[in-house]
Amino acid sequence: DVVNSIPKDVLPLVVFVTAYDEFALKAFTANALDYILKPYDAERIQASLRRIREMLRLKQRAEYSERIKAVLSSYQQKEQYSL
């Protein structure tokens, strides 16, 4: 319920850690990045952290691409008006 109450545009990366497997489907429906069942071990936590790092890297790359597109678009518009 907490995750669903957060607006999608500000939703952080979410990993559920619980002893109850019956909530996994709901967690992924709420855009959870991962679902870790207790008891867990260090290897499972490391795997989840790798997924988080990869998602953050992809998000940064996408944001960088959008900034480049905006700069190029702005430059092209300025060239149109200068003719």
Side-chain angles (χ1 to χ4, degrees), residues 18-27 35 37:
T18 181
Y20 305 101
D21 63 351
E22 65 263 19
F23 301 114
L25 184 57
K26 284 185 176 182
Y35 194 89
L37 286 174

Side-chain angles (χ1 to χ4, degrees), residues 2-83:
V2 172
V3 171
N4 286 328
S5 71
I6 301 171
K8 299 295 183 209
D9 59 332
V10 295
L11 185 67
L13 297 178
V14 177
V15 174
F16 284 87
V17 179
T18 181
Y20 305 101
D21 63 351
E22 65 263 19
F23 301 114
L25 184 57
K26 284 185 176 182
F28 288 113
T29 301
N31 295 316
L33 182 62
D34 206 349
Y35 194 89
I36 300 174
L37 286 174
K38 294 178 183 176
Y40 52 84
D41 57 19
E43 185 176 319
R44 181 64 182 94
I45 296 297
Q46 290 300 320
S48 187
L49 289 171
R50 282 191 296 275
R51 290 184 72 185
I52 292 167
R53 285 186 200 104
E54 179 64 14
M55 187 61 67
L56 290 172
R57 187 183 65 77
L58 292 173
K59 184 178 176 182
Q60 286 175 334
R61 181 180 285 173
E63 289 170 354
Y64 181 72
S65 293
E66 288 302 315
R67 286 187 298 210
I68 289 174
K69 287 178 188 177
V71 168
L72 290 174
S73 177
S74 174
Y75 179 73
Q76 288 171 343
Q77 288 175 356
K78 286 180 185 177
E79 276 193 345
Q80 269 184 328
Y81 294 119
S82 65
L83 295 176

